[in-house]
Amino acid sequence: MSANSENRPLRVLVVDDSAYNRQTITSMLESREGVEVVGRATNGKEALKLAFDLEPDVITLDLEMPEMDGFSFLRLLMSRRPIPVVVISGYAQRDNVFRALELGALDFIAKPRRHISPDIRNIEDDLSSKITMVRRLQSVRLKQRADSLAAQGARPHGSSDADTMNQPLEGEPAQFVVGIGSSTGGPPAIQQLLAGLPAELPAAVVISQHMPARFTKAFAARLDRVVDLRVVEAAEGQPLCRGVVYIVPGACNIDIESSAGGTAIVHIVEPQPTRAGVAPLTPSADHMLKSLSAAFERRLVAVILTGMGSDGTNGAIAARRLGAYVLVEDPRTAVMPGMPHSALEAGAVDRALPLERLHDAIIEVIDKRRAEGS
């Protein structure tokens, strides 16, 4: 959206095959000042026509619909007229959510059931915040990111989730670590970044992506199928091993303890409420980077990707003081520039690069510091 659009209502198209869901979502949105529902559609085919005719600022999307489902709708929309899309999906369709994000959806909202029930009001605040953040969105990046993922293609390892996700972690203890923080627009960016890293990466990777608790395990499983590195959801007591990616569980934070034998150990901790009693964003990039930098100092490469807000900035400041190298996604190429921009404004960044160049920079920094004996 352009800067001069700030004063007009945010125009929303609601897409869902349930009349009750459409009405309830419309009611919630229109109760918020500055939001106007300009259309409602029952399936992807109808939604596509309305999207072209009405040119809404943002679309809420159900994925399972008759005639044309949400996935087909996303493919056609992003190829013809990219518009920000927020998926509203049940917990049972977790893998579908990540498929939708790879196709260009901006974000998702988790609802307890396949069909919205009277307890739908539980998602009202989340819906409002994710719709209104569109004013700060660089929407053309959604299509570019979807195109990049499509060009990479899936590279399945030929193993099921159970084959890899439940195997004990074995391998050489990580002497270096990459800590990645992200939020809105993060899952596809993380996938693109990890796809550029080799399976023999001489470091562990720890990722804090703002996400509901019941989605991080599915996110880890999906990444494990399509990138060369092994990807797991982090768990209490795990060792940090080189060549392994650890996704911090949703609604939790991660602490890293250096053991006497030189192996770093994972601890999963509950977040502490803020002074105002508000639950903080989790997993927290600030918390993760502070803990990783205390354990690894110069052997940490901190990376901040797309996201709204400033999470990661304080962690980057603390990490840099201890000698860590800090990279951020260039805000000009990020889907949501807030998090990398905040770190840059704080003077806590060594380099800002487009997403497609970050994997080379990570390898370069690790190789240089290994050679220096850090």
Side-chain angles (χ1 to χ4, degrees):
M1 297 182 67
S2 61
N4 61 10
S5 66
E6 289 281 350
N7 295 326
R8 69 170 174 80
L10 196 68
R11 304 170 73 254
V12 186
L13 171 63
V14 174
V15 185
D16 199 299
D17 62 337
S18 162
Y20 177 83
N21 292 359
R22 291 194 303 276
Q23 180 55 45
T24 305
I25 293 169
T26 298
S27 174
M28 286 191 295
L29 289 171
E30 292 193 328
S31 69
R32 303 290 171 134
E33 185 177 355
V35 178
E36 176 188 5
V37 175
V38 295
R40 293 187 276 187
T42 61
N43 59 59
K45 186 177 180 181
E46 183 181 346
L48 207 59
K49 182 179 186 304
L50 289 176
F52 295 155
D53 290 346
L54 301 175
E55 298 185 359
D57 300 312
V58 60
I59 298 169
T60 69
L61 179 68
D62 183 26
L63 293 175
E64 297 183 14
M65 299 177 294
E67 288 198 58
M68 181 189 291
D69 64 19
F71 305 113
S72 299
F73 169 78
L74 276 168
R75 287 191 193 94
L76 291 168
L77 181 75
M78 290 299 160
S79 66
R80 299 179 186 179
R81 182 175 293 167
I83 296 172
V85 173
V86 176
V87 169
I88 301 179
S89 178
Y91 286 115
Q93 286 80 41
R94 278 167 279 198
D95 201 57
N96 286 347
V97 163
F98 300 112
R99 183 178 165 199
L101 294 175
E102 290 166 11
L103 290 171
L106 167 65
D107 209 335
F108 70 93
I109 296 168
K111 60 186 179 185
R113 301 177 180 84
R114 162 69 183 91
H115 295 288
I116 293 180
S117 60
D119 63 3
I120 181 62
R121 294 288 170 180
N122 294 336
I123 72 166
E124 185 168 2
D125 289 342
D126 198 17
L127 176 63
S128 176
S129 66
K130 290 185 177 180
I131 291 295
T132 55
M133 74 181 174
V134 167
R135 293 194 188 278
R136 292 176 286 279
L137 174 70
Q138 301 183 119
S139 59
V140 67
R141 304 297 173 195
L142 294 170
K143 181 181 186 303
Q144 291 176 349
R145 197 142 296 174
D147 289 345
S148 295
L149 290 175
Q152 286 176 345
R155 296 173 296 170
H157 295 167
S159 59
S160 68
D161 296 352
D163 288 335
T164 56
M165 298 296 286
N166 296 326
Q167 288 177 358
L169 286 177
E170 297 178 353
E172 184 179 334
Q175 299 303 311
F176 287 81
V177 67
V178 180
I180 301 174
S182 59
S183 185
T184 306
I190 289 167
Q191 181 176 328
Q192 186 175 341
L193 175 57
L194 294 182
L197 296 175
E200 64 275 11
L201 183 74
V205 181
V206 182
I207 297 175
S208 285
Q209 162 68 44
H210 298 162
M211 192 175 288
R214 284 181 277 183
F215 283 82
T216 44
K217 188 169 186 177
F219 181 43
R222 187 168 186 86
L223 289 173
D224 189 61
R225 292 197 298 269
V226 298
V227 303
D228 290 334
L229 295 155
R230 182 177 177 191
V231 185
V232 299
E233 183 182 50
E236 178 64 28
Q238 285 175 331
L240 281 190
C241 299
R242 58 182 289 167
V244 179
V245 179
Y246 302 78
I247 306 295
V248 182
C252 294
N253 284 321
I254 193 168
D255 280 340
I256 302 299
E257 177 189 13
S258 296
S259 69
T263 301
I265 302 298
V266 168
H267 295 296
I268 304 300
V269 296
E270 295 293 323
Q272 296 298 313
T274 64
R275 290 180 181 178
V278 178
L281 286 172
T282 51
S284 164
D286 281 332
H287 189 113
M288 174 193 70
L289 292 177
K290 289 175 182 178
S291 182
L292 288 175
S293 61
F296 285 85
E297 299 182 344
R298 283 181 52 82
R299 295 175 292 122
L300 164 65
V301 181
V303 183
I304 300 174
L305 301 179
T306 172
M308 189 169 72
S310 61
D311 188 27
T313 295
N314 289 334
I317 292 170
R320 207 154 176 253
R321 283 176 184 158
L322 291 172
Y325 197 94
V326 179
L327 296 164
V328 298
E329 181 177 4
D330 189 330
R332 294 171 297 182
T333 68
V335 167
M336 190 66 69
M339 283 173 55
H341 178 75
S342 174
L344 279 167
E345 286 285 293
V349 176
D350 291 290
R351 292 172 74 187
L353 295 168
L355 179 67
E356 58 270 18
R357 292 176 56 195
L358 283 173
H359 66 277
D360 285 334
I362 290 169
I363 296 168
E364 175 189 323
V365 172
I366 293 172
D367 286 346
K368 182 178 180 181
R369 296 203 165 182
R370 287 175 76 197
E372 293 171 350
S374 294

